[in-house]
Amino acid sequence: MRPDRLRIEQILRRALAERVAPAIAFAVSRGDSPTECWHVGRLRDAADAAPCGPETVFDLASLTKPLSTTLWAMRLADEGRLDPRAPIETYVSVESPALAQCPVWRLMSHTSGLPAHRSYYRGLGPGSLRSGRHDIARTALRRMLRSCDLERPPSERETYSDLGYLLLEWVCESLDGPLTERWSSLPHHDLGALHFRPLDAEVENREAYAATEDCPWRKRLLQGEVHDDNCWTIGGVGGHAGLFGTLSAVHEAGRDWLRALRSEPNTLGLDPDLVPYWTDRNRMHPYGTRVLGWDTPTPGGSTAGQFFGRRSIGHLGFTGTSLWIDPDAEVVMTLLTNRVSPSRESVGIRWLRPTLHDAGWRWAEGRFT
């Protein structure tokens, strides 16, 4: 066995031994070469659980932002229906004068001044749990989002914000209808295994889903229903979370973004010149790392490891997921785990991400050269 492949397998075995996550899936590709995949562990923290494999579906958490909501906004802009430079009040009425005048694109760069998070589920979740009326919770959450105060003036600081993407979803919906209806028209939907799982829909095969948390307030192990508390409360579909997918589906979406970044033919449905424009580092906050819809490697300490180049883009998900794309080296890496199972207190993902990405890069250099 080649040393670089052995290194990846050793890292994965260590991660399982240290209980970083019950299930781990990892993929690497370079250019048009075939993707190399690894699947280890089991779908939940139990000896009799089904093994993780190519058909395992993971809760992607915040990978929803770039793979769904960002793509939606970019397509609307490309079609001339959304002006990212227009004030938010052009599309959605909000009470804060500063937020009303803030351009839409600042929601995508996380520089709108909105807080990072609000635990709306604490007040709304119990009602959704009792009644099953997630529509009532969604209406209430948007009412609170409309009246949310900014933590600081727009443009002053980069603060990664779920609230910003809940508002961006609302902006897109004002032009194009609900995300649950529009998803089928977005190109990643064609991948099949990349999907939302509304809570009012039947789960065809719950055992195909990697379990997430033994939730303290929902009083059950979550499997086939979204982990994010706010997203669950409003019905399982949100601009910030709610997307599920297999390793191959997520990785193929990443390869499509790579083609778009390189202005090559792709299925994103975007002008080939638009993606490099939106992901230009000149649109980052001077002290931030985020371009529009995506993150970039943090100098000296990135979860992407030490080899992804300056023009790379990527994103993380709270459940233990990540996707990184280097347009110059043509390398794409996808890591999917359920590190929040059975508890979100597991933090081993912090060492696993950069260590595995570095090993994956060495594999790519040797395998795909």
Side-chain angles (χ1 to χ4, degrees):
M1 182 181 295
R2 284 178 38 187
D4 46 12
R5 185 178 187 91
L6 179 61
R7 174 61 176 157
I8 292 174
E9 296 186 358
Q10 288 173 335
I11 292 168
L12 294 174
R13 285 198 297 270
R14 175 190 166 191
L16 290 181
E18 295 185 9
R19 303 172 71 86
V20 172
I24 304 172
F26 181 56
V28 185
S29 64
R30 189 170 192 176
D32 294 327
S33 298
T35 301
E36 297 286 340
C37 299
W38 290 262
H39 298 84
V40 298
R42 297 185 177 276
L43 271 59
R44 51 189 172 83
D45 190 23
D48 62 347
C52 175
E55 302 306 315
T56 299
V57 182
F58 289 85
D59 183 331
L60 304 181
S62 283
L63 287 187
T64 304
K65 294 181 176 76
L67 296 183
S68 173
T69 319
T70 294
L71 177 60
W72 193 14
M74 291 175 72
R75 282 174 61 103
L76 289 172
D78 196 32
E79 294 166 5
R81 299 166 64 190
L82 171 66
D83 182 356
R85 298 162 298 182
I88 290 170
E89 67 177 359
T90 305
Y91 307 103
V92 172
S93 174
V94 293
E95 293 182 10
S96 164
L99 183 60
Q101 288 299 310
C102 177
V104 171
W105 69 265
R106 289 202 175 277
L107 298 174
M108 302 175 71
S109 67
H110 299 277
T111 56
S112 68
L114 281 166
H117 181 71
R118 287 285 187 269
S119 297
Y120 294 125
Y121 74 93
R122 295 190 185 278
L124 300 174
S128 293
L129 200 58
R130 286 192 305 270
S131 68
R133 292 294 305 276
H134 298 281
D135 56 329
I136 295 175
R138 177 176 284 272
T139 298
L141 184 147
R142 285 193 167 174
R143 184 172 61 247
M144 290 186 283
L145 187 60
R146 184 194 299 273
S147 62
C148 185
D149 291 328
L150 297 184
E151 286 189 334
R152 54 188 54 84
S155 82
E156 184 176 283
R157 181 177 171 184
E158 178 188 291
T159 299
Y160 178 73
S161 175
D162 278 358
L163 273 61
Y165 263 74
L166 281 164
L167 186 53
L168 181 62
E169 176 198 4
W170 196 356
V171 167
C172 293
E173 181 181 302
S174 73
L175 298 167
D176 207 29
L179 179 55
T180 49
E181 296 177 8
R182 304 319 313 159
W183 174 246
S184 61
S185 69
L186 294 176
H188 292 337
H189 175 268
D190 294 339
L191 296 171
L194 204 59
H195 62 277
F196 285 96
R197 224 296 288 163
L199 295 176
D200 59 1
E202 292 293 327
V203 181
E204 293 183 1
N205 184 8
R206 190 177 298 274
E207 289 303 313
Y209 290 78
T212 54
E213 191 168 23
D214 190 357
C215 182
W217 68 274
R218 283 170 271 186
K219 306 297 184 184
R220 58 176 174 267
L221 180 70
L222 306 179
Q223 191 168 8
E225 57 182 302
V226 68
H227 173 262
D228 183 90
D229 299 297
N230 284 340
C231 189
W232 186 94
T233 297
I234 61 175
V237 179
H240 68 301
L243 199 61
F244 288 84
T246 61
L247 179 68
S248 60
V250 176
H251 195 78
E252 186 53 40
R255 295 185 71 159
D256 230 8
W257 278 93
L258 170 64
R259 297 179 191 108
L261 284 165
R262 294 176 60 82
S263 298
E264 296 173 354
N266 60 83
T267 64
L268 296 182
L270 298 171
D271 185 316
D273 295 328
L274 182 62
V275 176
Y277 174 83
W278 284 46
T279 56
D280 192 309
R281 291 173 66 92
N282 289 327
R283 284 160 188 80
M284 287 180 5
H285 188 275
Y287 302 106
T289 61
R290 297 183 185 276
V291 292
L292 302 192
W294 294 87
D295 201 359
T296 64
T298 303
S302 176
T303 62
Q306 59 183 314
F307 298 119
F308 276 87
R310 189 173 183 273
R311 293 205 308 131
S312 299
I313 61 171
H315 212 286
L316 309 184
F318 184 77
T319 50
T321 61
S322 57
L323 174 63
W324 283 98
I325 306 162
D326 188 319
D328 295 323
E330 299 185 70
V331 169
V332 179
M333 293 192 204
T334 305
L335 173 62
L336 304 183
T337 82
N338 55 345
R339 72 96 191 167
V340 295
S341 185
S343 168
R344 67 183 68 189
E345 300 307 315
S346 170
V347 295
I349 193 73
R350 293 175 183 171
W351 72 258
L352 178 62
R353 278 183 172 129
T355 304
L356 193 55
H357 288 136
D358 283 353
W361 197 275
R362 292 187 174 94
W363 164 258
E365 286 183 328
R367 172 65 176 81
F368 300 128
T369 300

